[in-house]
Amino acid sequence: MPEKALDDSDHGHVFLFLLALRLLNALTIRTFFQPDEYYQALEPAWRIAFGHDSGAWITWEWRYQLRSSMHPALFAAVLSIVSAISDRCTLPFALRSELLIAAPKITQALFAALTDYCSWKLAERLYGRGSSRAWTALALTACSPWQWFCSTRTLSNCLETALTSAALSSWPWHWLLPASPAGKQRLRESGVAQDDLCLRLPSGIRLRLALLLAAFACVLRPTNTLIWICVSVSALLRATPLERHALVREAVLCGFSVLALSATSDRLYYGEWAFPPLRFVHFNIAKSLAVFYGTNRADYYLTEGLPLLLTTALPWALVAIRRVLWPRITRIARKRPVDNNTGSDAQLRQHVLPLFATTTVVFIFSLSLISHKEVRFIYPLLPILHVLAAEPLGPHIFPLPGTLARKTVLAAALALNISIAAYATLVHQRGVIDVLHVLRHHHEQQLALAEPLPPATSSPTAVSTVAFLMPCHSTPWRSHLVHPGIDAWALTCEPPIHVPLSHRSAYRDQADQFYDDPVGWLGRHLGDLPGSEQGLADCWRGFNTHFHDDWRRTGDVHLVFFAQLEPTLKGMGLLDGPTGYRQCWRGFNTHFHDDWRRSGDVVVWCREV
């Protein structure tokens, strides 16, 4: 395929295609990934939008002011708008619920499309518009299983990645070129995206935009600062005195502006002045509370993180990192200068690609020093890694391979990516999402039988009571239950905030205590089960103290648990016995799980009261 430049309308078409792709992506996901998708974004957003009586679950991080309110405030605004429109149009309960569930997904789909688009624009700036490597970068991000699995979820890491990608695509990379006027002039005359709509803006405005986006990413996730330390230091070392002054000035102005906005948002949310990034570092690193949620080996990001993040693109990213770093290491060791006699495009790549590789190494090394590790923590590196991988892979993809062997390899890689993406988003851990739809639909059927009320109001006589006997945060919460008339309770897992470090090894949270001895725990907390009606009254009075103190309210009682617990509950005589419980739903969840407590189907037992 010949390389040709695209006009602005073509770029608009590419963005619309990516937006359509991510909308499809967002609205077809049926699986559970991380609790933070709900409990660090949608639950606080739900409380902001609908108040303290909405039934949102607010975790300990929000009570101790560890999280920035700007992320959930974004979704709260979306939820408020959708709710207002639904009320104005007097939409049915069920339709209103579906819209409230879909709205954050659609919002995040926009950010996911922005991530893809800006990754492609960054590649075009380095490799040239319409180049095979730029198209390869676009193909890598559009066909990435991780992008399909994660990019449209409401995790702060996803928004962080979108902001990072947009900031990198706006960054004045020409500052890395030699400071001679000829060098700068070659970039402007080379045609490297000189007609790009964003790059038509003055350099100072592009720098300000990049710094604002970077500042938001750093406030959202403080570890993102590592990326911008690498980028900024490199720019400061190579910039002219005038550019250096502009960079420092704009960084200070943009940084303080974003901090002021963040502080104002947090002041409104918490009711007092707070600085969550500092408290986040203090609690999770200084007080070592992050390890409460799991620790990993030092090589986790190398042996598991990068393979999961990149899948079939991993070999090409590693080849690219080795290809751009090794010559630089050799050149430094032999004290050879950079060749500045090449074209400006090549010079730009000669400086930027090693910087990307160095940033990747620094970021992964730094996060490897922290005991608690997750793949999503290195997610902001994915746009950088896709741009790097496109360098060695591009010539093998565009123009499309002519030999049968190359076509077979390309088709096999694409089929593998599609298979992984489909399984991860449609099959693995879908039961914990499906069960909330079942509970909500059951409640809406009760509402339909009650007296007609405004859509935002739940009938006081149509109450569903649900107890989740699962490890904490195994399912979404109010963002999927929606209706405040669904009174729900679940096991908790509060960290040992006030427990001395020397005693934490013996600490057991509520979920741990339950699974250590389910029968004993139920016996201690649920009265005389499966005995008299008085025992059941005590049972459900205990379950629902967070919401109401009258267990006799009309409605259904549901027990929700994983099939692993089923023999224990049957052994207690809860099923088809004097308690009146019966199995009313059972749904597939996963073929495998690394937590034995979450193995098997998701089961719902019902009892009418």
Side-chain angles (χ1 to χ4, degrees):
M1 183 179 73
E3 298 182 1
K4 68 181 186 69
L6 304 177
D7 58 30
D8 289 336
S9 62
D10 292 326
H11 283 79
H13 294 155
V14 171
F15 179 76
L16 290 177
F17 166 76
L18 292 172
L19 180 59
L21 180 71
R22 292 308 170 195
L23 285 172
L24 175 66
N25 184 179
L27 297 176
T28 55
I29 286 182
R30 294 291 182 269
T31 57
F32 183 91
F33 175 35
Q34 282 286 341
D36 284 7
E37 179 181 355
Y38 310 102
Y39 294 92
Q40 304 303 342
L42 297 184
E43 290 303 309
W46 200 270
R47 172 171 285 192
I48 295 172
F50 303 118
H52 289 262
D53 296 329
S54 61
W57 184 312
I58 303 301
T59 60
W60 70 275
E61 292 98 330
W62 295 96
R63 297 196 299 272
Y64 285 89
Q65 304 174 353
L66 268 66
R67 302 286 182 175
S68 170
S69 60
M70 288 198 298
H71 185 223
L74 168 68
F75 295 110
V78 173
L79 291 171
S80 297
I81 292 171
V82 172
S83 178
I85 294 174
S86 300
D87 292 349
R88 184 66 179 268
C89 298
T90 61
L91 298 180
F93 287 109
L95 179 56
R96 176 180 182 270
S97 299
E98 295 296 337
L99 290 176
L100 288 173
I101 293 172
K105 297 180 180 181
I106 294 172
T107 304
Q108 188 58 43
L110 177 62
F111 292 117
L114 181 67
T115 302
D116 297 333
Y117 182 76
C118 290
S119 298
W120 176 51
K121 296 302 296 177
L122 177 60
E124 282 202 324
R125 291 190 63 186
L126 298 179
Y127 300 123
R129 301 192 74 176
S131 66
S132 63
R133 289 180 172 89
W135 284 114
T136 300
L138 179 62
L140 285 173
T141 187
C143 300
S144 165
W146 180 266
Q147 280 288 84
W148 190 265
F149 174 64
C150 188
S151 67
T152 59
R153 298 181 184 271
T154 53
L155 291 161
S156 61
N157 311 86
C158 300
L159 181 56
E160 174 197 11
T161 302
L163 293 171
T164 303
S165 178
L168 290 172
S169 69
S170 301
W171 188 259
W173 294 112
H174 62 276
W175 285 10
L176 300 185
L177 289 171
S180 63
K184 299 293 177 64
Q185 186 66 23
R186 281 199 299 272
L187 178 68
R188 289 196 294 268
E189 293 178 352
S190 66
V192 180
Q194 67 180 10
D195 57 340
D196 182 87
L197 186 60
C198 174
L199 296 183
R200 290 175 187 167
L201 298 173
S203 178
I205 296 179
R206 296 203 309 271
L207 174 64
R208 188 172 301 165
L209 174 62
L211 288 172
L212 284 172
L213 294 169
F216 276 112
C218 293
V219 168
L220 200 63
R221 302 283 305 180
T223 51
N224 195 265
T225 308
L226 293 168
I227 293 176
W228 295 104
I229 288 175
C230 295
V231 172
S232 299
V233 167
S234 180
L236 286 171
L237 291 176
R238 291 187 172 90
T240 64
L242 185 61
E243 291 168 340
R244 194 175 297 120
H245 177 267
L247 177 58
V248 173
R249 182 192 69 234
E250 294 298 331
V252 171
L253 289 175
C254 294
F256 275 105
S257 298
V258 172
L259 284 176
L261 180 61
S262 175
T264 302
S265 176
D266 293 333
R267 176 68 175 82
L268 293 173
Y269 180 82
Y270 291 115
E272 61 184 22
W273 294 109
F275 189 56
L278 183 60
R279 294 183 66 85
F280 180 88
V281 172
H282 173 69
F283 271 78
N284 285 293
I285 298 178
K287 298 188 71 171
S288 299
L289 286 176
V291 300
F292 177 72
Y293 295 103
T295 59
N296 293 96
R297 306 181 314 275
D299 63 349
Y300 171 80
Y301 288 123
L302 297 178
T303 57
E304 296 184 45
L306 285 175
L308 288 172
L309 194 68
L310 288 164
T311 55
T312 54
L314 176 63
W316 302 103
L318 295 178
V319 167
I321 291 174
R322 191 265 179 201
R323 182 180 290 182
V324 300
L325 280 187
W326 183 250
R328 170 155 292 208
I329 294 172
T330 304
R331 188 168 54 248
I332 293 174
R334 297 178 180 178
K335 298 182 179 180
R336 292 180 179 176
V338 176
D339 182 9
N340 292 325
N341 295 321
T342 58
S344 58
D345 294 8
Q347 285 189 49
L348 194 62
R349 291 194 296 273
Q350 200 172 19
H351 289 87
V352 176
L353 294 183
L355 173 59
F356 282 176
T358 302
T359 301
T360 299
V361 172
V362 170
F363 195 87
I364 291 177
F365 174 78
S366 300
L367 266 62
S368 295
L369 299 177
I370 302 173
S371 298
H372 182 60
K373 304 176 182 68
E374 296 184 36
V375 185
R376 60 192 177 99
F377 294 168
I378 60 172
Y379 187 15
L381 292 177
L382 190 58
I384 291 175
L385 291 168
H386 280 157
V387 171
L388 283 169
E391 197 278 329
L393 179 59
H396 297 282
I397 294 184
F398 295 105
L400 294 176
T403 65
L404 179 61
R406 286 192 176 186
K407 288 181 179 178
T408 302
V409 171
L410 181 62
L414 183 60
L416 179 60
N417 282 3
I418 293 174
S419 300
I420 294 172
Y423 183 81
T425 57
L426 298 176
V427 180
H428 186 63
Q429 294 198 86
R430 69 167 296 153
V432 290
I433 303 294
D434 291 341
V435 69
L436 295 188
H437 295 314
V438 170
L439 294 171
R440 187 182 69 256
H441 292 158
H442 175 78
H443 180 77
E444 288 166 352
Q445 290 173 0
Q446 289 185 303
L447 291 177
L449 298 175
E451 295 182 6
L453 292 171
T457 308
S458 291
S459 169
T461 60
V463 174
S464 299
T465 304
V466 186
F468 291 85
L469 296 178
M470 295 173 154
C472 69
H473 305 151
S474 291
T475 70
W477 201 251
R478 197 59 56 182
S479 62
H480 281 60
L481 291 172
V482 178
H483 304 285
I486 302 178
D487 286 352
W489 173 93
L491 296 167
T492 63
C493 53
E494 298 292 300
I497 297 175
H498 302 297
V499 177
L501 193 60
S502 58
H503 294 80
R504 286 184 186 174
S505 59
Y507 176 79
R508 309 294 289 170
D509 60 40
Q510 187 183 52
D512 291 332
Q513 295 173 29
F514 172 78
Y515 279 97
D516 287 343
D517 181 15
V519 175
W521 193 94
L522 290 170
R524 289 190 301 273
H525 292 84
L526 305 186
D528 300 326
L529 277 178
S532 65
E533 285 297 311
Q534 182 60 42
L536 286 173
D538 293 340
C539 158
W540 289 111
R541 187 181 297 274
F543 269 152
N544 295 307
T545 50
H546 294 294
F547 303 98
H548 61 80
D549 57 5
D550 186 2
W551 70 279
R552 297 165 297 179
R553 289 169 67 180
T554 59
D556 290 343
V557 172
H558 301 80
L559 286 179
V560 184
F561 52 90
F562 289 107
Q564 173 273 335
L565 191 63
E566 194 170 20
T568 300
L569 297 181
K570 284 183 176 179
M572 296 179 66
L574 287 178
L575 185 65
D576 297 327
T579 61
Y581 281 104
R582 59 181 176 81
Q583 179 175 300
C584 56
W585 186 82
R586 188 184 194 98
F588 170 81
N589 188 53
T590 180
H591 293 105
F592 60 91
H593 205 290
D594 56 2
D595 185 348
W596 62 270
R597 302 172 301 175
R598 292 181 165 96
S599 60
D601 298 339
V602 175
V603 183
V604 180
W605 287 359
C606 304
R607 173 180 178 269
E608 294 184 359
V609 295

